[in-house]
RNA sequence: GGAGAAUUAGCUCAGCUGGUUCAGAGCAUCUGCCUUACAAGCAGAGGGUCACUGGUUCGAAUCCAGUAUUCUCCACCA
């Protein structure tokens, strides 16, 4: 019969998750209740649960569970993201292991492999989320490449195209010569590398002079189309309007002037290579320079280079340097450190390259998205992110939405044999459009362009409810706009901003009301937890070790919104200990025998006090939730349960060893126990559900689960009883402290006398005797000689010890306290005698000071009398 | 280079628009307890010049300026 001394989470977790699923508690369909909706930030379909997911989804689950208990129609939509680049890279790597080269496959065959891979491994992370207790509506699980979501993406492309927001154009992109695709900025990792800075001499036309230019990329000089100097640079005034010759190939290029050139850097002269550098490109645009692209897609030199055609760019670099040296056009070579971009997936050095890409015009679209946040329609939590959101929105650049990949939604552009193109959803539509325009559709084809993944995830809050294709459907009408979005600040722009933009464009409404930005999970050394660093614990293992509830509590304890959290397993330990505490409180109550009698007055008082504290705590917790202070809400719950419920309330009503408890009181304890379990449920779903169903709480219907129980609401309560009880607690603590300092065992009863001045202790008498282990509690009007005394509020208390008290020590202690109070009094007096204070401060502040003064004077008086009576 | 944020106890953090003894919480630490729910526990205790320097104010952890250190984001010099 005996029940385990410690809580064993494993069994409960599996049992109750299955039970919740069976009973459809996670399911949501539109009804007359108020909806509360969260769409899960879809993890990469390739993903494996890491600490970031753990934090993020724990927060969402807490919010959704609480909303459900508050009677809202809670709907949490899960799903995964197809993550073009990451997934394609994984599939390519897998194929490589099997000895298959991607290039040898047709698009169709590759996609077949990719889908197979997705079916096999794609659901792992969602399964892992179940372990964490995520109460998602799994029947609504979506994938960004589900047919309906993909169709939404095409519809959106066409919509934006027809509205004139999408254009096709040659722009500088991050080119991965190994993967042969454009990359977004996010996919480029910058690292500092050691390079050489070559000082190259360019001959000035019709002169013996030359001009020296510093470059790290001599292999691109054949693509130079100008030399640029700063117009304010007096050293080069004589070069204005001159022409110079590109070394090795002797092509003539102009000297242009632009203040962009830093006079202090290098030689103060810049070679302009518009095809191979972003800034040069912009400079070239400004000055109408020719663009010469001397690189092939694979990073080798093409015919435009004139020399070294077919050589790889890095080999060419060395060779060009050598050739320059041979003709005496290298002045010097310096070591130099600079930032170079590398492809996240292939690790190839990124080549800024001009290429034809699809773009979404952002400036107009961004405006309403900024307004939403500016005027508070969408709240960012914490607010500090608004500044950078605003900065980004006001300086938004056009978005390169095409990727040269196979895994993703194909850009719905169709080309004929003449390379004319039209935008159309289907092949048939394309033929029709070509026909309309009187053009041929011979040789109809699509390019290997897919849309950036963020383009599809930008639709997520709408597309999961099919709101793009079918905005009038009941789900979309009911659930959209969603309530809270919980995500990482890193993707505020890439994802959150784009959802707002797209959501507004379709619906004229924001896609969500609140954006809760979580922190980054770091290790104790402050490093971001990552797979590559190997400093991230496996959440699944953690849950096995500390229990899911323990880990959930551990994650939340240290994670104020938006601040990074320095994760340490000790938090999980704390969470586990808390679970165990509740478990043992339950064991205590479960073990009680009853006697058929009504509650005693002391028990009634204890219950009244606890209920007051309980209501006070609910108000605090509600406020914390309203401000998205989840860790504070949890801490308030923690203290209510551990301190108020276990350490005080249960101790107060606990019967003597093997004695029965009054039936009425036991019923009250059980009722209150269930109430605190409800408060804990959002944080600790498994433990609370396990206890909820124990027979001591009576038999329950199958559907009577804590997950759908109603969350307690704050009732008004008597604040006086809470205040009075604080004095009682103080008295008990003081007696214990006296014991401790005198080495008196807690088992030895002590007599206590109280000179009650402003509290009626009659209802607390029994409690004090019990918890302070008092042999005889008396009330007196005078000093008690030979006792250790202390003040609880203005009530002087006396503990009579068997041994004679150390009068000197007593005198010293009281004197110290008097000194302290007098010091305090001086500071209060100083304020009150300051005319400017009395004049300027608010009346209630002044009144407060006067109360403090009176209070301190009273206490000093009592203590001084004690001191006098000591001798 | 631009922008934003942070600095409070050994650690992680609260402290909202200046005014209760405002200097707090949890953890950790120390002391005493295997007390009949829980040693994953109980009781008690110690611990901070609120980064530094000025200023505003009757009054500053709180507001302002500067300094130092740290972090994040954005853009990057050939």
């Amino acid at each position: 019969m005996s029940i385990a001394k410690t809580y064993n989470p494993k069994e409960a977790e599996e049992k109750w998750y299955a039970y919740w699923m069976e009973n459809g508690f996670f399911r949501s369909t539109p009804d007359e209740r108020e909806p509360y909706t969260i769409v899960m930030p879809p993890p990469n379909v390739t993903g494996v649960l890491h600490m970031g997911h753990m934090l993020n989804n724990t927060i969402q689950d807490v919010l959704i569970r609480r909303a459900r208990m508050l009677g809202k129609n809670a709907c949490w939509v899960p799903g995964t993201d197809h993550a073009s680049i990451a997934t394609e890279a994984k599939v390519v790597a897998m194929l490589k292991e099997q000895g298959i080269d991607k290039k040898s496959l047709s698009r169709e065959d590759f996609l077949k492999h990719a889908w197979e891979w997705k079916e096999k491994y794609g659901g792992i992370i969602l399964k892992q989320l179940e372990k964490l207790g995520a109460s998602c509506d799994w029947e609504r699980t979506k994938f960004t490449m589900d047919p309906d979501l993909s169709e939404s993406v095409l519809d959106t492309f066409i919509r934006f195209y027809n509205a004139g927001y999408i254009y096709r154009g040659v722009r500088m992109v991050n080119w991965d010569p190994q993967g042969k695709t454009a990359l977004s900025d996010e996919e480029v990792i910058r690292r500092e590398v050691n390079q050489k800075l070559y000082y190259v001499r360019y001959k000035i036309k019709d002169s013996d002079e030359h001009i020296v230019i510093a470059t790290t990329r001599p292999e691109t000089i054949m693509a130079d189309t100008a030399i640029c100097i700063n117009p304010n640079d007096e050293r080069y005034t004589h070069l204005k309007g001159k022409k110079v010759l590109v070394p090795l190939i002797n092509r003539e290029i102009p000297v242009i002037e632009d203040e962009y050139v830093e006079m202090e850097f290098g030689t103060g002269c810049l070679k302009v290579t518009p095809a191979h550098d972003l800034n040069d490109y912009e400079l070239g645009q400004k000055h109408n320079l020719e663009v010469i692209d001397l690189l092939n897609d694979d990073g080798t030199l093409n015919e435009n280079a004139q020399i070294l055609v077919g050589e790889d760019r890095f080999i060419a670099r060395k060779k060009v340097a050598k050739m320059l040296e041979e003709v005496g056009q290298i002045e010097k070579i310096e070591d130099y450190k600079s930032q170079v971009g590398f492809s996240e997936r292939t690790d190839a050095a990124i080549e800024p390259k001009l290429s034809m890409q699809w773009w979404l015009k952002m400036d107009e679209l961004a405006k309403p998205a900024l307004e939403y946040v500016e005027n508070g329609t969408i709240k960012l939590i914490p607010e500090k992110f608004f500044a950078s959101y605003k900065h980004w929105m006001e300086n938004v650049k056009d978005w390169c939405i095409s990727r040269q990949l196979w895994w993703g939604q194909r850009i719905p552009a169709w080309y004929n044999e003449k390379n004319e193109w039209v935008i159309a959803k289907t092949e048939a539509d394309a033929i029709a459009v070509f026909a309309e325009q009187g053009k041929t559709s011979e040789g109809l084809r699509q390019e290997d362009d897919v849309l950036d993944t963020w383009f599809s995830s930008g639709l997520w809050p709408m597309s999961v409810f099919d709101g793009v294709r079918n905005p009038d459907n009941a789900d979309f009408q009911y659930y959209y706009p969603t309530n809270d979005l919980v995500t990482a600040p890193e993707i505020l722009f890439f994802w959150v901003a784009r959802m707002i933009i797209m959501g507004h464009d379709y619906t004229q409404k924001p896609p969500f009301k609140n954006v809760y930005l979580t922190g980054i999970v770091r290790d104790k050394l402050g490093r971001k937890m990552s797979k590559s660093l190997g400093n991230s614990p496996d959440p699944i293992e953690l849950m096995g070790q500390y229990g899911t509830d323990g880990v959930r509590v551990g994650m939340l304890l240290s994670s104020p919104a938006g601040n990074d959290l320095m994760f340490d397993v000790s938090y999980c330990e704390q969470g586990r200990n808390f679970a165990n505490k509740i478990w043992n409180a339950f064991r205590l109550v479960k073990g009680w025998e009853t006697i058929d009698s009504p509650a005693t007055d002391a028990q009634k008082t204890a219950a009244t006090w606890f209920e007051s504290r309980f209501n006070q705590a609910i108000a605090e917790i509600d406020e914390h939730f309203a401000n998205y202070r989840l860790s504070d809400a949890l801490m308030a719950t923690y203290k209510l349960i551990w301190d108020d419920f276990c350490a005080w309330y249960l101790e107060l009503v606990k019967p003597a060893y093997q004695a029965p408890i009054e039936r009425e009181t036991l019923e009250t304890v059980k009722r209150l126990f269930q109430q605190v379990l409800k408060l804990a449920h959002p944080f600790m779903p498994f433990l609370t559900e396990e206890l909820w169903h124990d027979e001591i709480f009576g038999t329950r219907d199958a559907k009577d689960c804590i997950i759908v129980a109603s969350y307690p609401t704050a009732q008004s309560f008597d604040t006086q009883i809470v205040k009075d009880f604080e004095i009682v607690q103080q008295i008990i603590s003081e007696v214990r402290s006296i014991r401790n300092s005198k080495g008196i065992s807690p088992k030895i009863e002590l007599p206590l006398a109280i000179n009650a001045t402003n509290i009626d202790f009659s209802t607390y008498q029994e409690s004090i005797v019990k918890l302070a282990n008092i042999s005889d509690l008396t009330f007196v009007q005078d000093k008690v000689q030979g006792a250790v005394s202390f003040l609880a509020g203005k009530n002087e208390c006396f503990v009579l010890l068997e041994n004679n008290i150390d009068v000197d020590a007593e005198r010293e202690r009281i004197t110290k306290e008097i000194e302290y109070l007098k010091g305090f009094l001086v500071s209060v007096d100083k304020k009150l005698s300051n005319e400017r204070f009395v004049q300027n401060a608010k009346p209630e502040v002044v009144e407060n000071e006067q109360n403090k003064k009176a209070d301190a004077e009273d206490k000093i008086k009592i203590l001084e009398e004690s001191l006098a009576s000591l001798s």
Side-chain angles (χ1 to χ4, degrees), chain A residues 459-486:
Chain A
L459 297 169
W460 190 244
M462 294 184 286
S463 60
V464 295
F465 298 116
D466 202 13
V468 172
R469 301 188 311 163
N470 179 18
D472 293 329
N473 84 73
D475 274 358
F476 189 59
Q477 289 295 322
Y478 182 73
Y479 292 113
Y480 187 93
T482 68
N483 295 72
D484 297 336
L485 179 81
V486 181

mmCIF file of all heavy atoms in Angstrom, chain A residues 459-486:
data_model
loop_
_atom_site.group_PDB
_atom_site.id
_atom_site.type_symbol
_atom_site.label_atom_id
_atom_site.label_comp_id
_atom_site.label_asym_id
_atom_site.label_seq_id
_atom_site.Cartn_x
_atom_site.Cartn_y
_atom_site.Cartn_z
ATOM 1 N N LEU A 459 3.404 32.952 -44.396
ATOM 2 C CA LEU A 459 1.958 32.770 -44.512
ATOM 3 C C LEU A 459 1.382 31.919 -43.392
ATOM 4 O O LEU A 459 0.166 31.766 -43.281
ATOM 5 C CB LEU A 459 1.634 32.090 -45.856
ATOM 6 C CG LEU A 459 2.003 32.856 -47.117
ATOM 7 C CD1 LEU A 459 1.876 31.935 -48.328
ATOM 8 C CD2 LEU A 459 1.109 34.072 -47.285
ATOM 9 N N TRP A 460 2.277 31.360 -42.585
ATOM 10 C CA TRP A 460 1.921 30.313 -41.606
ATOM 11 C C TRP A 460 0.640 30.570 -40.806
ATOM 12 O O TRP A 460 -0.239 29.703 -40.779
ATOM 13 C CB TRP A 460 3.128 30.088 -40.706
ATOM 14 C CG TRP A 460 3.091 28.916 -39.779
ATOM 15 C CD1 TRP A 460 3.104 28.966 -38.417
ATOM 16 C CD2 TRP A 460 3.105 27.512 -40.113
ATOM 17 N NE1 TRP A 460 3.125 27.705 -37.884
ATOM 18 C CE2 TRP A 460 3.112 26.797 -38.903
ATOM 19 C CE3 TRP A 460 3.091 26.806 -41.311
ATOM 20 C CZ2 TRP A 460 3.125 25.410 -38.844
ATOM 21 C CZ3 TRP A 460 3.100 25.416 -41.262
ATOM 22 C CH2 TRP A 460 3.108 24.729 -40.038
ATOM 23 N N PRO A 461 0.484 31.741 -40.148
ATOM 24 C CA PRO A 461 -0.723 31.920 -39.335
ATOM 25 C C PRO A 461 -2.008 31.878 -40.165
ATOM 26 O O PRO A 461 -3.075 31.604 -39.652
ATOM 27 C CB PRO A 461 -0.545 33.314 -38.721
ATOM 28 C CG PRO A 461 0.888 33.647 -38.889
ATOM 29 C CD PRO A 461 1.342 32.923 -40.125
ATOM 30 N N MET A 462 -1.879 32.172 -41.455
ATOM 31 C CA MET A 462 -3.057 32.090 -42.321
ATOM 32 C C MET A 462 -3.166 30.711 -42.952
ATOM 33 O O MET A 462 -4.231 30.102 -42.972
ATOM 34 C CB MET A 462 -2.943 33.132 -43.438
ATOM 35 C CG MET A 462 -2.988 34.563 -42.939
ATOM 36 S SD MET A 462 -2.974 35.743 -44.307
ATOM 37 C CE MET A 462 -1.269 35.645 -44.823
ATOM 38 N N SER A 463 -2.051 30.224 -43.464
ATOM 39 C CA SER A 463 -2.125 29.012 -44.276
ATOM 40 C C SER A 463 -2.489 27.779 -43.455
ATOM 41 O O SER A 463 -3.092 26.856 -43.981
ATOM 42 C CB SER A 463 -0.818 28.792 -45.034
ATOM 43 O OG SER A 463 0.261 28.665 -44.149
ATOM 44 N N VAL A 464 -2.150 27.758 -42.173
ATOM 45 C CA VAL A 464 -2.522 26.580 -41.385
ATOM 46 C C VAL A 464 -4.044 26.479 -41.248
ATOM 47 O O VAL A 464 -4.574 25.402 -40.977
ATOM 48 C CB VAL A 464 -1.887 26.557 -39.969
ATOM 49 C CG1 VAL A 464 -0.383 26.441 -40.074
ATOM 50 C CG2 VAL A 464 -2.293 27.766 -39.150
ATOM 51 N N PHE A 465 -4.726 27.590 -41.412
ATOM 52 C CA PHE A 465 -6.197 27.562 -41.374
ATOM 53 C C PHE A 465 -6.786 27.700 -42.779
ATOM 54 O O PHE A 465 -7.950 28.026 -42.937
ATOM 55 C CB PHE A 465 -6.719 28.683 -40.474
ATOM 56 C CG PHE A 465 -6.268 28.562 -39.049
ATOM 57 C CD1 PHE A 465 -5.441 29.529 -38.472
ATOM 58 C CD2 PHE A 465 -6.659 27.480 -38.266
ATOM 59 C CE1 PHE A 465 -5.021 29.416 -37.153
ATOM 60 C CE2 PHE A 465 -6.245 27.379 -36.947
ATOM 61 C CZ PHE A 465 -5.425 28.340 -36.391
ATOM 62 N N ASP A 466 -5.934 27.486 -43.772
ATOM 63 C CA ASP A 466 -6.356 27.587 -45.167
ATOM 64 C C ASP A 466 -6.949 28.964 -45.488
ATOM 65 O O ASP A 466 -7.840 29.096 -46.321
ATOM 66 C CB ASP A 466 -7.373 26.483 -45.504
ATOM 67 C CG ASP A 466 -7.406 26.213 -47.002
ATOM 68 O OD1 ASP A 466 -6.484 26.692 -47.703
ATOM 69 O OD2 ASP A 466 -8.345 25.557 -47.469
ATOM 70 N N GLY A 467 -6.425 29.963 -44.816
ATOM 71 C CA GLY A 467 -6.996 31.302 -44.972
ATOM 72 C C GLY A 467 -6.545 32.024 -46.218
ATOM 73 O O GLY A 467 -7.106 33.063 -46.572
ATOM 74 N N VAL A 468 -5.514 31.501 -46.883
ATOM 75 C CA VAL A 468 -5.050 32.161 -48.098
ATOM 76 C C VAL A 468 -5.945 31.777 -49.274
ATOM 77 O O VAL A 468 -6.435 32.621 -50.005
ATOM 78 C CB VAL A 468 -3.581 31.774 -48.397
ATOM 79 C CG1 VAL A 468 -3.151 32.305 -49.760
ATOM 80 C CG2 VAL A 468 -2.671 32.315 -47.302
ATOM 81 N N ARG A 469 -6.185 30.479 -49.382
ATOM 82 C CA ARG A 469 -6.977 30.011 -50.522
ATOM 83 C C ARG A 469 -8.468 30.259 -50.287
ATOM 84 O O ARG A 469 -9.229 30.474 -51.212
ATOM 85 C CB ARG A 469 -6.759 28.507 -50.716
ATOM 86 C CG ARG A 469 -5.302 28.120 -50.955
ATOM 87 C CD ARG A 469 -5.196 26.680 -51.329
ATOM 88 N NE ARG A 469 -5.968 25.824 -50.400
ATOM 89 C CZ ARG A 469 -6.318 24.589 -50.658
ATOM 90 N NH1 ARG A 469 -5.998 24.042 -51.808
ATOM 91 N NH2 ARG A 469 -6.996 23.878 -49.766
ATOM 92 N N ASN A 470 -8.839 30.179 -49.019
ATOM 93 C CA ASN A 470 -10.263 30.133 -48.709
ATOM 94 C C ASN A 470 -10.560 30.964 -47.460
ATOM 95 O O ASN A 470 -10.859 30.429 -46.403
ATOM 96 C CB ASN A 470 -10.623 28.657 -48.499
ATOM 97 C CG ASN A 470 -12.073 28.471 -48.152
ATOM 98 O OD1 ASN A 470 -12.899 29.369 -48.380
ATOM 99 N ND2 ASN A 470 -12.394 27.321 -47.592
ATOM 100 N N PRO A 471 -10.473 32.265 -47.582
ATOM 101 C CA PRO A 471 -10.550 33.123 -46.392
ATOM 102 C C PRO A 471 -11.899 33.098 -45.687
ATOM 103 O O PRO A 471 -11.989 33.526 -44.539
ATOM 104 C CB PRO A 471 -10.247 34.517 -46.941
ATOM 105 C CG PRO A 471 -10.452 34.431 -48.407
ATOM 106 C CD PRO A 471 -10.214 33.027 -48.815
ATOM 107 N N ASP A 472 -12.921 32.604 -46.329
ATOM 108 C CA ASP A 472 -14.229 32.617 -45.675
ATOM 109 C C ASP A 472 -14.486 31.370 -44.846
ATOM 110 O O ASP A 472 -15.535 31.249 -44.234
ATOM 111 C CB ASP A 472 -15.343 32.744 -46.733
ATOM 112 C CG ASP A 472 -15.279 34.096 -47.414
ATOM 113 O OD1 ASP A 472 -14.859 35.058 -46.738
ATOM 114 O OD2 ASP A 472 -15.613 34.181 -48.608
ATOM 115 N N ASN A 473 -13.516 30.453 -44.810
ATOM 116 C CA ASN A 473 -13.797 29.218 -44.084
ATOM 117 C C ASN A 473 -13.915 29.458 -42.585
ATOM 118 O O ASN A 473 -13.350 30.406 -42.023
ATOM 119 C CB ASN A 473 -12.747 28.141 -44.418
ATOM 120 C CG ASN A 473 -11.494 28.260 -43.585
ATOM 121 O OD1 ASN A 473 -11.485 27.942 -42.400
ATOM 122 N ND2 ASN A 473 -10.428 28.750 -44.205
ATOM 123 N N ALA A 474 -14.682 28.599 -41.944
ATOM 124 C CA ALA A 474 -15.060 28.810 -40.542
ATOM 125 C C ALA A 474 -13.846 28.853 -39.614
ATOM 126 O O ALA A 474 -13.785 29.684 -38.705
ATOM 127 C CB ALA A 474 -16.013 27.707 -40.101
ATOM 128 N N ASP A 475 -12.894 27.978 -39.847
ATOM 129 C CA ASP A 475 -11.705 27.947 -38.994
ATOM 130 C C ASP A 475 -10.974 29.286 -39.024
ATOM 131 O O ASP A 475 -10.623 29.857 -37.983
ATOM 132 C CB ASP A 475 -10.726 26.867 -39.476
ATOM 133 C CG ASP A 475 -11.060 25.505 -38.888
ATOM 134 O OD1 ASP A 475 -12.015 25.438 -38.093
ATOM 135 O OD2 ASP A 475 -10.360 24.538 -39.224
ATOM 136 N N PHE A 476 -10.726 29.739 -40.230
ATOM 137 C CA PHE A 476 -9.961 30.969 -40.384
ATOM 138 C C PHE A 476 -10.700 32.146 -39.754
ATOM 139 O O PHE A 476 -10.112 32.965 -39.055
ATOM 140 C CB PHE A 476 -9.694 31.223 -41.862
ATOM 141 C CG PHE A 476 -8.735 32.357 -42.112
ATOM 142 C CD1 PHE A 476 -7.449 32.313 -41.600
ATOM 143 C CD2 PHE A 476 -9.110 33.457 -42.864
ATOM 144 C CE1 PHE A 476 -6.558 33.352 -41.825
ATOM 145 C CE2 PHE A 476 -8.224 34.499 -43.096
ATOM 146 C CZ PHE A 476 -6.952 34.443 -42.580
ATOM 147 N N GLN A 477 -11.991 32.196 -40.001
ATOM 148 C CA GLN A 477 -12.797 33.282 -39.438
ATOM 149 C C GLN A 477 -12.746 33.266 -37.913
ATOM 150 O O GLN A 477 -12.761 34.307 -37.262
ATOM 151 C CB GLN A 477 -14.250 33.162 -39.905
ATOM 152 C CG GLN A 477 -14.449 33.488 -41.384
ATOM 153 C CD GLN A 477 -14.144 34.938 -41.689
ATOM 154 O OE1 GLN A 477 -14.460 35.829 -40.901
ATOM 155 N NE2 GLN A 477 -13.501 35.196 -42.820
ATOM 156 N N TYR A 478 -12.688 32.060 -37.376
ATOM 157 C CA TYR A 478 -12.753 31.924 -35.917
ATOM 158 C C TYR A 478 -11.385 32.127 -35.256
ATOM 159 O O TYR A 478 -11.260 32.849 -34.272
ATOM 160 C CB TYR A 478 -13.273 30.530 -35.578
ATOM 161 C CG TYR A 478 -13.435 30.252 -34.098
ATOM 162 C CD1 TYR A 478 -14.468 30.831 -33.369
ATOM 163 C CD2 TYR A 478 -12.558 29.394 -33.436
ATOM 164 C CE1 TYR A 478 -14.630 30.568 -32.020
ATOM 165 C CE2 TYR A 478 -12.708 29.120 -32.080
ATOM 166 C CZ TYR A 478 -13.746 29.712 -31.379
ATOM 167 O OH TYR A 478 -13.902 29.449 -30.037
ATOM 168 N N TYR A 479 -10.344 31.519 -35.806
ATOM 169 C CA TYR A 479 -9.047 31.498 -35.112
ATOM 170 C C TYR A 479 -8.140 32.676 -35.457
ATOM 171 O O TYR A 479 -7.199 32.977 -34.725
ATOM 172 C CB TYR A 479 -8.301 30.199 -35.418
ATOM 173 C CG TYR A 479 -8.943 28.973 -34.817
ATOM 174 C CD1 TYR A 479 -9.505 27.995 -35.632
ATOM 175 C CD2 TYR A 479 -8.980 28.799 -33.437
ATOM 176 C CE1 TYR A 479 -10.091 26.869 -35.086
ATOM 177 C CE2 TYR A 479 -9.565 27.675 -32.892
ATOM 178 C CZ TYR A 479 -10.122 26.710 -33.710
ATOM 179 O OH TYR A 479 -10.692 25.607 -33.163
ATOM 180 N N TYR A 480 -8.381 33.299 -36.579
ATOM 181 C CA TYR A 480 -7.486 34.375 -37.031
ATOM 182 C C TYR A 480 -8.116 35.724 -36.729
ATOM 183 O O TYR A 480 -9.309 35.879 -36.933
ATOM 184 C CB TYR A 480 -7.241 34.243 -38.534
ATOM 185 C CG TYR A 480 -6.202 35.200 -39.085
ATOM 186 C CD1 TYR A 480 -4.870 34.817 -39.190
ATOM 187 C CD2 TYR A 480 -6.565 36.475 -39.494
ATOM 188 C CE1 TYR A 480 -3.921 35.698 -39.694
ATOM 189 C CE2 TYR A 480 -5.618 37.363 -39.989
ATOM 190 C CZ TYR A 480 -4.299 36.966 -40.087
ATOM 191 O OH TYR A 480 -3.368 37.838 -40.574
ATOM 192 N N PRO A 481 -7.379 36.735 -36.273
ATOM 193 C CA PRO A 481 -5.961 36.708 -35.903
ATOM 194 C C PRO A 481 -5.712 35.838 -34.681
ATOM 195 O O PRO A 481 -6.544 35.767 -33.793
ATOM 196 C CB PRO A 481 -5.666 38.165 -35.559
ATOM 197 C CG PRO A 481 -6.823 38.964 -36.027
ATOM 198 C CD PRO A 481 -7.979 38.059 -36.097
ATOM 199 N N THR A 482 -4.528 35.254 -34.641
ATOM 200 C CA THR A 482 -4.166 34.433 -33.501
ATOM 201 C C THR A 482 -3.799 35.344 -32.333
ATOM 202 O O THR A 482 -3.704 36.563 -32.497
ATOM 203 C CB THR A 482 -2.982 33.513 -33.840
ATOM 204 O OG1 THR A 482 -1.813 34.309 -34.029
ATOM 205 C CG2 THR A 482 -3.261 32.721 -35.107
ATOM 206 N N ASN A 483 -3.604 34.752 -31.165
ATOM 207 C CA ASN A 483 -3.335 35.581 -29.987
ATOM 208 C C ASN A 483 -1.854 35.847 -29.760
ATOM 209 O O ASN A 483 -1.400 36.971 -29.905
ATOM 210 C CB ASN A 483 -3.945 34.927 -28.749
ATOM 211 C CG ASN A 483 -5.437 34.888 -28.848
ATOM 212 O OD1 ASN A 483 -6.006 34.131 -29.625
ATOM 213 N ND2 ASN A 483 -6.106 35.735 -28.098
ATOM 214 N N ASP A 484 -1.162 34.804 -29.363
ATOM 215 C CA ASP A 484 0.239 34.991 -28.982
ATOM 216 C C ASP A 484 1.151 34.236 -29.936
ATOM 217 O O ASP A 484 0.843 33.127 -30.353
ATOM 218 C CB ASP A 484 0.477 34.477 -27.560
ATOM 219 C CG ASP A 484 -0.321 35.265 -26.537
ATOM 220 O OD1 ASP A 484 -0.676 36.431 -26.838
ATOM 221 O OD2 ASP A 484 -0.610 34.732 -25.457
ATOM 222 N N LEU A 485 2.260 34.872 -30.251
ATOM 223 C CA LEU A 485 3.290 34.189 -31.007
ATOM 224 C C LEU A 485 4.517 34.123 -30.109
ATOM 225 O O LEU A 485 4.922 35.137 -29.539
ATOM 226 C CB LEU A 485 3.629 34.954 -32.289
ATOM 227 C CG LEU A 485 4.733 34.290 -33.111
ATOM 228 C CD1 LEU A 485 4.149 33.165 -33.944
ATOM 229 C CD2 LEU A 485 5.431 35.289 -34.005
ATOM 230 N N VAL A 486 5.073 32.951 -29.950
ATOM 231 C CA VAL A 486 6.244 32.787 -29.096
ATOM 232 C C VAL A 486 7.411 32.367 -29.974
ATOM 233 O O VAL A 486 7.372 31.301 -30.592
ATOM 234 C CB VAL A 486 5.997 31.716 -28.015
ATOM 235 C CG1 VAL A 486 7.220 31.569 -27.122
ATOM 236 C CG2 VAL A 486 4.769 32.068 -27.191
#
